[in-house]
Amino acid sequence: MSAIKAIFTKQMADLPKNMSVLLLFIMWPLMAFVIGNLMGYVEIQAGMFASMLIASGPMVSIANNVAEDNEYKGLRFLVMAGVKPWQYLVGMAGAFILVSVLSLASLFWIGGVTGDVLLRASIVGLLGLIASSILGGAVGIFAKNVQQAAAISTPLMMILGFAPMFAAANETLARIAEFLFPMQVMVVILNPYADFTRALIVIAGNAVVLLAFFAIAYKKKGLRG
Amino acid sequence: MISMTNIVKRFDNKTVLTDVSFRVDRREIFGLLGPSGSGKTTIINILTHQLIPEGGHYDIGATSKETGLMLEEDGLYKRLTTTENLNLFAGIYGVDKSKVSEALHSVGLGNDQKTPVAKLSKGMRQRLALARAILHAPKVLFLDEPTGALDPATARGIHKLILNLRDKGATIFLTTHNMEEAVGLCDNVALLHQGKIVEYGSPNAICEKHNSFKTIPDLGAVFMKMTGVDAQ
């Protein structure tokens, strides 16, 4: 427990100093607020940007940090100090999930999400953040360095983050996007009559598939620093 | 306490260590000497369980939490301050946070507790890496070139610190290119050449065996005298 707490605390101390990662958690609420107030439909903007936050925030930040710890050997010293790989990942993911939750809460506030919708959106949002974290862990382990992690996570972020937006303009894309967790999060936020059970099943299914990716990356590359 | 018996290590088809055997007793400072590429870091990597040898066996008589490590690649977090870097390991080891300041002072970084690692010189980073290695008062300390990038005054301060740690009960395993350092610090040394130990024993005994005593000009002492910098 002390190792998880120490890594969580270190990550929280590092985040304000890592501007490129910090921006991931600030820009979506900021964009929802600005664009929503300029163009109107603030609740739609908030839902859309919430799905983008969930797709990108934990995934990119965890991928970046794991790759950085691997490249600069910080992870080696943690492992040598007796930190288990799962403790390292839980401590790190915990920090980024917490920051994502705060960012998501501000999006819900901006979009005026309340009542039953808020409860359902919070549940699918949290599940989505976990799925995104698993994907980030897999990318971070797989990447040789920070540059490679960015090269993998950026297109993934674009696909997952923008799929719900483009799905509105293309029927084929909409059918595909339905099976992606960011789309389900957006649907639950924006539609009070959305099929909540179906959303949960899709997101849980996504998490299982991503967990398999994670297991493959971990088996192939390990997490030893 | 630390022992290696008939260790063999290969990378692909190349044998980098051949039948390496030695023993380091408790509270001993042991120096592994050898030219670059002779296998010194490979031995440290095996002893710290980062590499698995193809043959032989080894034991360090301490758990990972009782071991301190300072490698050439420091693994420090550049955006964090010196204190934040050590706080991380204090948390992992369950060491009181007051020890962090103590460790920083002991390596001469007492005035840089809020300095981000990115702003430290190479020598200061090396000292911070040493502070991290000794933070939890380890039973066994592995130091890979501990004074490699340091000026003579700071190096002497680090030597005092190493001797002090030994006096407190730590067993110290270090690699160095610096023969003066080996003679001044180590109880026993092993000379490694092309993956084989070619000489092993106390520095005096080895020099006596090879009839190799001479007066070495102590430039470090002159540097200290001329600059007035105290070695702590």
Side-chain angles (χ1 to χ4, degrees), chain B residues 114-134:
Chain B
K114 289 181 179 173
T115 308
V117 169
K119 290 189 177 170
L120 298 179
S121 68
K122 195 179 174 193
M124 290 164 95
R125 287 175 64 149
Q126 200 164 354
R127 282 187 275 154
L128 179 60
L130 181 61
R132 180 186 57 196
I134 63 172

Side-chain angles (χ1 to χ4, degrees), chain A:
Chain A
M1 196 61 193
S2 60
I4 295 172
K5 192 180 157 195
I7 290 162
F8 175 90
T9 309
K10 169 247 159 189
Q11 215 56 64
M12 294 304 280
D14 185 60
L15 185 61
K17 299 169 185 178
N18 191 353
M19 199 45 76
S20 58
V21 170
L22 184 64
L23 268 175
L24 286 169
F25 302 100
I26 296 172
M27 73 173 174
W28 303 123
L30 199 67
M31 283 171 81
F33 183 77
V34 173
I35 296 175
N37 280 294
L38 286 174
M39 293 173 59
Y41 307 109
V42 73
E43 64 283 358
I44 294 175
Q45 306 292 351
M48 207 166 65
F49 286 118
S51 71
M52 287 180 185
L53 164 74
I54 287 164
S56 66
M59 193 262 287
V60 176
S61 52
I62 291 173
N64 179 291
N65 274 267
V66 172
E68 190 178 33
D69 283 359
N70 250 323
E71 186 178 355
Y72 298 109
K73 309 296 173 201
L75 184 55
R76 176 180 292 191
F77 286 89
L78 295 177
V79 172
M80 291 301 307
V83 175
K84 304 276 183 293
W86 70 267
Q87 292 175 319
Y88 167 74
L89 289 170
V90 168
M92 178 182 287
F96 289 122
I97 287 176
L98 174 70
V99 180
S100 300
V101 165
L102 295 173
S103 186
L104 194 60
S106 67
L107 276 160
F108 288 164
W109 178 74
I110 291 165
V113 182
T114 53
D116 284 353
V117 177
L118 178 63
L119 181 66
R120 288 198 294 266
S122 301
I123 293 168
V124 291
L126 195 59
L127 276 175
L129 291 173
I130 292 168
S132 178
S133 301
I134 296 168
L135 181 57
V139 173
I141 291 170
F142 192 78
K144 279 182 187 160
N145 49 43
V146 179
Q147 206 178 358
Q148 201 177 61
I152 300 170
S153 62
T154 307
L156 278 175
M157 176 183 85
M158 305 277 270
I159 293 165
L160 291 170
F162 290 112
M165 193 167 68
F166 292 132
N170 183 293
E171 212 171 289
T172 312
L173 205 58
R175 266 187 246 124
I176 298 168
E178 257 183 68
F179 295 100
L180 299 176
F181 65 91
M183 180 73 183
Q184 290 300 325
V185 173
M186 192 178 85
V187 167
V188 170
I189 295 171
L190 296 182
N191 181 4
Y193 307 105
D195 188 343
F196 182 59
T197 312
R198 185 168 185 275
L200 286 181
I201 291 168
V202 169
I203 298 171
N206 274 220
V208 170
V209 172
L210 295 173
L211 209 53
F213 278 131
F214 178 87
I216 291 166
Y218 187 80
K219 201 175 170 190
K220 204 169 177 182
K221 297 268 185 164
L223 203 53
R224 292 179 294 273

